[in-house]
Amino acid sequence: SSSRMTPDVLLEVCREHGGYEIPALNDQLYLHFRGFARIENLDAFVNLKALWLESNGLQKLENLDALTKLRCLYVQQNLISRIENIRSLKSLIILDISQNRIAKLENIACLPCLETLNASKNTLSDAESIFELAGCKSLVTADLSHNQLDGDDILEAIAAAPALTSFKITGNPVMSTSQFRKKMICRMPRLVYVDRPVFEAERLAAEAWGQGGAEAELKARVDFKESKRLEAQEEQRQFREWKAAKIAERINSQETNGASKTSMVAPPVPVPESEGSSGREVNVSKLAHGFWASNATREAENSPRPNADGSLDVASFRASSYTPEPCGHEELKGGLPLPPPPQTSSHSATKGHSEGSALPVASESDQQLADSTDFNELD
């Protein structure tokens, strides 16, 4: 039947959750909400790490001896009245046995790796019912909320857990004890959570209250607030000093980089004195600017322009001929380099003479004009 944990049902569950048909290959098994009344036929699942058995009709923990590698066991929301038959679970880290009928914590001190215990919503009532916590050497977190825990010795029973740092106890009658939270914080210095986080200010105030009462608690709160204010001021002062140091470092770096760049700039090229020259330096940058500006103007004038119809003629893309103007650059011996003279082959010269064309030759007046030009006026 569907309420029994048969091998066929277990195989079907493995397939349903993407597991393996060979039981030993599965490391987790989901058997929750199945209506099982007993735990059985799990001996083949020797490598199981996590087992979900919540929300069934289980009345007893049994047949778990083969699961020696089990780390997580979830059996909440069942009908279990005792914690038993789990001594073989030496690797168990998490045990959730909440919402059952547990009246006493037992057989959990034999679990050396147990770190988390959830025993909420059971029938735990007094210090004796939770005495087992003292033997749980690795237990860090415990949930005992919504039970019937009451009595002055509950605090000592909880504090006896050697490694406990976090627990929940809300929903128990013991919470009505005067200053219960402060007493727990004073009694357990390692505590970081009691139904809510325990912060530094609260711990200092609770410890002061335990030593000197309400006045000492108030003084501890004022001192803590003042210490935090001074700490914030010190952090701001350190930040301002760090910021000022960084700004000064950046300024020094910029000045150093600027000086190095200035030393790398080449000095202007001097022009040696000659006839008709005053010895002034030629501004090379102005010459270069004029050269490129003239080329840009020439290119703009020679760029294709649309005709009346808005289209471009093919003839407008022809390169225009350009004859450089004569210039007396021979005087600038230390200035810009002279372009090489045009090379004319004998064939082209013969062809040009045969067609009646002649090469342009500078006249004597043009040559005298070029010789008298003072290029220092370009500055």
Side-chain angles (χ1 to χ4, degrees):
S1 63
S2 59
S3 60
R4 288 201 57 190
M5 199 178 297
T6 63
D8 293 338
V9 172
L10 295 176
L11 179 59
E12 180 184 352
V13 170
C14 292
R15 291 172 178 172
E16 180 180 345
H17 293 90
Y20 301 96
E21 295 183 0
I22 301 176
L25 297 179
N26 294 279
D27 58 358
Q28 50 188 352
L29 190 59
Y30 301 93
L31 300 176
H32 53 298
F33 295 97
R34 294 281 179 171
F36 296 131
R38 291 189 59 195
I39 302 174
E40 53 186 341
N41 298 315
L42 295 179
D43 295 343
F45 294 85
V46 293
N47 293 315
L48 212 58
K49 301 294 191 305
L51 177 60
W52 282 265
L53 288 168
E54 69 267 26
S55 300
N56 283 289
L58 304 177
Q59 300 181 11
K60 185 179 180 180
L61 291 175
E62 56 184 342
N63 300 320
L64 298 173
D65 296 339
L67 310 181
T68 57
K69 297 182 180 180
L70 193 66
R71 298 180 181 179
C72 305
L73 177 60
Y74 303 96
V75 289
Q76 66 269 28
Q77 298 179 4
N78 280 285
L79 305 174
I80 301 171
S81 58
R82 290 191 61 190
I83 304 176
E84 56 184 346
N85 301 320
I86 59 173
R87 290 182 175 272
S88 62
L89 307 181
K90 300 298 183 181
S91 300
L92 194 65
I93 298 175
I94 299 175
L95 174 60
D96 190 342
I97 198 166
S98 61
Q99 300 185 52
N100 278 281
R101 301 176 179 179
I102 305 297
K104 182 181 180 180
L105 299 179
E106 52 187 342
N107 298 318
I108 59 174
C110 61
L111 305 176
C113 298
L114 185 63
E115 297 180 0
T116 302
L117 172 67
N118 187 352
S120 63
K121 297 183 179 180
N122 279 284
T123 58
L124 305 175
S125 58
D126 53 19
E128 184 181 357
S129 64
I130 61 174
F131 181 77
E132 187 79 4
L133 294 176
C136 299
K137 305 300 182 181
S138 301
L139 188 64
V140 177
T141 303
D143 188 350
L144 304 176
S145 60
H146 302 288
N147 281 277
Q148 289 97 43
L149 294 173
D150 196 8
D152 297 336
D153 51 356
I154 293 294
L155 190 152
E156 295 298 328
I158 296 175
L164 191 64
T165 60
S166 173
F167 73 92
K168 294 182 66 176
I169 198 170
T170 184
N172 286 277
V174 72
M175 293 295 295
S176 61
T177 303
S178 176
Q179 307 293 344
F180 177 78
R181 181 178 175 85
K182 292 180 181 178
K183 292 178 180 178
M184 290 298 304
I185 295 175
C186 293
R187 183 66 180 80
M188 302 177 67
R190 62 186 176 277
L191 206 59
V192 297
Y193 188 94
V194 184
D195 296 325
R196 66 176 185 270
V198 179
F199 295 106
E200 182 182 2
E202 184 181 10
R203 173 167 295 284
L204 293 175
E207 291 175 352
W209 171 84
Q211 296 176 0
E215 294 182 0
E217 178 186 359
L218 179 60
K219 183 177 183 303
R221 292 184 182 276
V222 173
D223 293 345
F224 179 80
K225 185 176 180 180
E226 179 66 14
S227 66
K228 287 297 181 182
R229 186 184 68 81
L230 296 176
E231 183 179 349
Q233 288 183 352
E234 179 64 18
E235 290 179 354
Q236 292 177 0
R237 184 190 65 80
Q238 293 179 1
F239 174 75
R240 287 193 294 267
E241 292 180 355
W242 172 84
K243 183 178 179 181
K246 287 296 181 182
I247 293 175
E249 181 181 350
R250 181 175 297 179
I251 292 175
N252 294 336
S253 176
Q254 291 177 352
E255 291 178 353
T256 304
N257 294 337
S260 61
K261 290 181 179 179
T262 303
S263 62
M264 293 174 62
V265 176
V269 180
V271 179
E273 294 186 3
S274 60
E275 297 180 0
S277 173
S278 61
R280 292 179 300 172
E281 297 180 351
V282 176
N283 194 328
V284 179
S285 61
K286 288 185 178 181
L287 289 175
H289 177 73
F291 173 77
W292 293 114
S294 62
N295 285 347
T297 305
R298 191 180 300 110
E299 291 178 0
E301 294 176 354
N302 298 332
S303 60
R305 297 182 180 179
N307 53 22
D309 299 333
S311 60
L312 297 175
D313 296 333
V314 177
S316 62
F317 289 93
R318 295 176 180 174
S320 58
S321 59
Y322 169 70
T323 303
E325 299 178 358
C327 180
H329 284 79
E330 60 274 11
E331 295 184 1
L332 299 179
K333 297 180 181 180
L336 295 175
L338 295 176
Q343 300 293 335
T344 306
S345 62
S346 59
H347 176 72
S348 59
T350 305
K351 183 179 179 181
H353 285 290
S354 61
E355 293 176 356
S357 61
L359 294 175
V361 179
S363 62
E364 184 177 358
S365 59
D366 293 337
Q367 185 65 30
Q368 293 176 357
L369 178 61
D371 294 341
S372 62
T373 302
D374 187 4
F375 287 92
N376 294 321
E377 294 178 358
L378 295 176
D379 293 337

